[in-house]
Amino acid sequence: MNEQIKLNRIETVFQELDYPLGPEDVATECDDVVVRLAEGTVRVDEVIERSTADQFTSSADLALEFQSLLPIDAVGEPNQSDGDA
């Protein structure tokens, strides 16, 4: 059964891993994790397999790479501010 989480909880999942590890290791460890985005879902293993990193040294490092690989509209409406007045 797949574990489904919100994007803002991804680092919690990544904190459970032992570092350092490479993208292939992350894909294997997280092959059952599905992330809910603003529009749809993605599987962690499918996203992280696109990484060109050699290895990740921390959960923060991995979370940053994961988020950089997501499409721009993954976190909300395009061209919307984060609350600027």
Side-chain angles (χ1 to χ4, degrees):
M1 184 167 129
N2 287 348
E3 177 183 356
Q4 196 169 102
I5 62 167
K6 291 183 179 181
L7 179 58
N8 65 350
R9 304 288 299 158
I10 193 64
E11 194 166 347
T12 302
V13 172
F14 293 158
Q15 287 173 347
E16 296 175 8
L17 304 175
D18 293 321
Y19 295 88
L21 70 168
E24 302 84 17
D25 301 318
V26 175
T28 300
E29 293 288 327
C30 297
D31 67 345
D32 64 341
V33 180
V34 176
V35 179
R36 289 189 310 257
L37 306 175
E39 293 289 330
T41 60
V42 294
R43 290 175 39 140
V44 170
D45 59 338
E46 292 174 350
V47 172
I48 211 64
E49 285 174 343
R50 296 191 308 258
S51 174
T52 59
D54 291 328
Q55 70 176 5
F56 304 104
T57 58
S58 68
S59 60
D61 182 31
L62 176 54
L64 183 62
E65 176 73 1
F66 180 80
Q67 291 183 13
S68 75
L69 295 169
L70 294 174
I72 196 159
D73 60 349
V75 294
E77 296 294 323
N79 303 318
Q80 295 294 312
S81 80
D82 290 334
D84 295 336

